[in-house]
Amino acid sequence: MISTTKLIAIICGLVLSVSATAQTNNPNAAYQPPAFTEADRLKKLEALFPIVDKIYKEYADKNHFPGYAYGIVLDGKLVYAGSGGYTDIDKKIPATTKSMFRIASMSKSFTAMAILKLRDEGKLKLDDPVYLYIPEMKGQKLSKDAPEITIRNLMTHSAGFPEDNPWGDRQLADTDADLIALIKKGISFSNAPGLAYEYSNLGFAMQGYIIKKITGMPYSDYIEKNIWKPLGMNQAQWEYTKVPANELAHGYRWINNNWREEALLHDGIYGAMGGMITSIESFSKYVALHQSAWPVRNDAETGPVKRSSIREMHQPWRFASLNANYKYPSGRACPLAAAYAYGIRWTKDCEGRETVGHTGGLPGFGSNWVIAPEYGLGVIYFANVTYASTSLPNTMVLDTLIRMAQLKPRQLPSSNILTQRRDELIKLLPDFNNAPSSGIFAENFFSDYFTDVMKQEANAIYAKAGKISKVGEVVPENQLRGYFILEGEKANIWVSFTLTPGNPALIQEYHIRAIDK
């Protein structure tokens, strides 16, 4: 009879053996993340900072911003910042990069990030019906056949609530009891849940309530403890009376050719949608956190939220619009698709450039932040006038920096298996002699591609190209798909291929064509 101790040792040995085998056979063990290939990226930007100053100042002057502040974040660092005007007109207190502005709906991504952190800890599911946490929502629907609203609906503005600006902007100071009283009276829906994008501050106030229901602490305290403090965001508050008087930006409205001060609202449950107050220097640390989620890699986690969860925040979860006639501020036409992610807006333009970020607007304030994740570049702009349109100058600055500095996105290196399959494929071209027995093709390949046809096609292309002088590197689309160029005497040859998901990954698809030199 085997003793308990010996049995445990055998089991542990088997587990370790299985684990070691899995590591040995892991086809992704040699994964290499995409990286920047340019030198002196910062130096290229520094030459353009005078243009950045000019864009922000001229826009602020033209649009009657009492005060403003801005920052450029590159690869996780605030590399440039500036400001102008006043945060307090009467006292002539100048705006600085340490001035604390109310950032309005830019607060939403903090609330969404808190929800994801709770999800990661197993305390909720994004597809949980909201009534599990707010029982008063049970059965509230546009129609009998409509589904229950989920937390994910709240995060993506797809709960069916009506767009509630500017009504929601005046609710910042509402209490938890005020929110529940509103719900108890019955919600007026504009759509059924899950069918359409419609911007809802109410949905984010509900998320703030859910955070408190789960954690036992106000959403504001939870975010401060779990996001602000780990990031070192020392200049961040929800309640304006807690901000030092010389740092607080007062809000103004431009009316009758003069500025009229707007009343500041106290912190309440609607602060989860737009109540945060912070400075450029502090907010830049949050922007850096979002940048740090990219690229996908094997490094140890260092942030308060998993990188994968932040990347999840950046995905286009709810389609919002397609602007076929979109033009950049420079006048360059470039169609643009937009969607809402988790507390964040997502766009992709005709050149394939993706951005994520958010705008904020309240009586007395306007703000915007946006990053181009694959370029490692972000911009921030705060102003203290009602609904200041800060997104346009930020778009102008980001586009100007990328184009004038000729920045390139991260480049994905070829995976080892793509390079290996390229080398093996080249040996078979153009005649495909013994291709079926080579072991590099998937089981579907010779049912979809016929050897005699491939041989005829490849030989004709090789004859057009002439003598091959160089085999180019694989240009990967991802880990298992790419192309390479064979440089010929009279023409070049383009070859692409796709590999299977198995181990080892085999060639399942192949294309070849001649291209003019």
Side-chain angles (χ1 to χ4, degrees):
M1 185 175 182
I2 301 176
S3 67
T4 301
T5 302
K6 189 171 183 180
L7 182 60
I8 291 173
I10 292 172
I11 292 172
C12 289
L14 288 172
V15 170
L16 289 172
S17 175
V18 170
S19 177
T21 301
Q23 289 296 321
T24 301
N25 294 332
N26 179 8
N28 308 300
Y31 168 73
Q32 300 177 68
F36 296 117
T37 57
E38 304 166 280
D40 301 322
R41 298 173 73 242
L42 176 56
K43 189 173 181 180
K44 291 179 180 179
L45 293 187
E46 287 174 339
L48 301 172
F49 288 159
I51 297 176
V52 169
D53 293 333
K54 186 172 186 289
I55 290 173
Y56 284 130
K57 184 181 187 306
E58 288 185 353
Y59 193 86
D61 292 344
K62 180 180 178 181
N63 291 276
H64 309 292
F65 293 179
Y68 60 94
Y70 54 90
I72 308 297
V73 185
L74 180 70
D75 301 338
K77 294 181 181 179
L78 181 64
V79 295
Y80 190 65
S83 60
Y86 300 102
T87 53
D88 188 325
I89 294 175
D90 291 340
K91 295 180 181 179
K92 294 293 187 289
I93 298 176
T96 73
T97 57
K98 293 183 180 294
S99 298
M100 295 178 65
F101 292 74
R102 185 154 251 165
I103 62 171
S105 289
M106 284 169 53
S107 311
K108 286 181 169 66
S109 65
F110 287 85
T111 301
M113 182 177 284
I115 290 286
L116 285 176
K117 185 172 178 63
L118 292 173
R119 187 278 309 272
D120 292 345
E121 293 170 352
K123 296 177 180 176
L124 60 78
K125 296 178 181 177
L126 299 190
D127 291 318
D128 282 344
V130 171
Y131 70 71
L132 292 181
Y133 309 95
I134 308 178
E136 294 80 3
M137 286 296 297
K138 177 73 172 178
Q140 294 221 33
K141 300 179 178 184
L142 177 67
S143 63
K144 290 182 179 180
D145 68 348
E148 295 287 350
I149 295 169
T150 67
I151 295 176
R152 195 190 304 272
N153 291 147
L154 300 181
M155 297 172 75
T156 57
H157 295 307
S158 59
F161 302 148
E163 186 276 320
D164 56 3
N165 291 323
W167 171 85
D169 295 343
R170 298 292 185 179
Q171 312 303 313
L172 281 184
D174 281 11
T175 64
D176 294 6
D178 292 330
L179 175 63
I180 298 304
L182 174 75
I183 295 171
K184 282 183 175 179
K185 289 180 180 179
I187 301 296
S188 296
F189 288 89
S190 58
N191 291 295
L195 296 184
Y197 164 83
E198 190 161 2
Y199 196 83
S200 171
N201 292 301
L202 173 62
F204 274 79
M206 287 185 180
Q207 290 175 67
Y209 188 90
I210 290 170
I211 291 169
K212 182 177 181 180
K213 195 72 173 284
I214 292 173
T215 66
M217 67 174 72
Y219 74 88
S220 51
D221 291 349
Y222 183 83
I223 290 172
E224 179 180 1
K225 178 181 177 181
N226 293 280
I227 300 176
W228 292 356
K229 286 187 176 178
L231 292 178
M233 294 180 64
N234 299 322
Q235 281 190 298
Q237 286 290 347
W238 298 98
E239 172 55 48
Y240 76 88
T241 59
K242 295 181 180 180
V243 179
N246 65 329
E247 295 178 4
L248 178 65
H250 292 243
Y252 299 88
R253 184 185 292 265
W254 180 255
I255 188 168
N256 294 329
N257 294 316
N258 206 348
W259 286 301
R260 180 182 299 175
E261 187 165 354
E262 294 271 16
L264 290 167
L265 298 178
H266 292 289
D267 177 46
I269 189 61
Y270 276 78
M273 70 82 183
M276 187 175 163
I277 305 167
T278 190
S279 68
I280 289 291
E281 292 187 15
S282 268
F283 191 80
S284 69
K285 297 177 181 180
Y286 181 67
V287 174
L289 174 66
H290 281 271
Q291 289 180 336
S292 73
W294 300 92
V296 175
R297 59 194 187 278
N298 290 316
D299 300 356
E301 297 278 2
T302 58
V305 180
K306 294 193 301 184
R307 292 193 298 269
S308 60
S309 292
I310 297 174
R311 293 192 296 268
E312 184 181 348
M313 290 181 71
H314 297 173
Q315 302 308 301
W317 291 103
R318 174 59 56 177
F319 175 77
S321 65
L322 173 62
N323 188 345
N325 299 312
Y326 180 79
K327 292 183 179 180
Y328 276 96
S330 64
R332 186 174 86 260
C334 188
L336 184 79
Y340 205 81
Y342 294 155
I344 284 176
R345 297 187 189 278
W346 170 94
T347 69
K348 188 170 187 177
D349 72 7
C350 66
E351 298 172 356
R353 186 196 302 169
E354 294 187 28
T355 66
V356 295
H358 211 285
T359 297
L362 279 172
F365 299 96
S367 54
N368 177 264
W369 71 283
V370 62
I371 63 173
E374 288 305 311
Y375 290 83
L377 182 63
V379 292
I380 319 164
Y381 196 24
F382 298 164
N384 59 334
V385 72
T386 297
Y387 303 134
S389 56
T390 47
S391 60
L392 181 64
N394 263 357
T395 298
M396 187 184 303
V397 168
L398 187 69
D399 187 53
T400 297
L401 291 176
I402 289 174
R403 291 174 67 81
M404 291 189 69
Q406 298 183 334
L407 296 183
K408 304 297 181 186
R410 289 185 184 89
Q411 301 299 307
L412 181 68
S414 174
S415 62
N416 291 346
I417 190 63
L418 278 178
T419 301
Q420 178 184 331
R421 295 296 182 232
R422 175 204 63 181
D423 295 344
E424 293 165 337
L425 184 57
I426 287 171
K427 292 178 181 178
L428 296 173
L429 291 172
D431 293 324
F432 285 94
N433 291 332
N434 301 315
S437 61
S438 66
I440 70 170
F441 297 99
E443 58 185 346
N444 70 288
F445 191 84
F446 294 104
S447 296
D448 295 320
Y449 301 90
F450 304 102
T451 306
D452 56 340
V453 175
M454 290 191 297
K455 178 179 179 179
Q456 182 179 3
E457 177 187 40
N459 272 287
I461 291 172
Y462 266 65
K464 180 178 180 180
K467 184 179 179 181
I468 302 299
S469 59
K470 182 181 178 181
V471 176
E473 298 294 327
V474 175
V475 179
E477 181 179 331
N478 54 41
Q479 299 297 301
L480 298 175
R481 179 183 296 115
Y483 72 90
F484 60 92
I485 301 294
L486 299 171
E487 294 187 13
E489 183 180 8
K490 294 177 288 185
N492 293 335
I493 302 174
W494 177 89
V495 182
S496 72
F497 60 102
T498 303
L499 306 183
T500 61
N503 185 15
L506 302 173
I507 298 173
Q508 60 168 311
E509 185 178 13
Y510 148 88
H511 300 283
I512 187 172
R513 69 169 186 261
I515 53 177
D516 294 334
K517 291 179 71 68

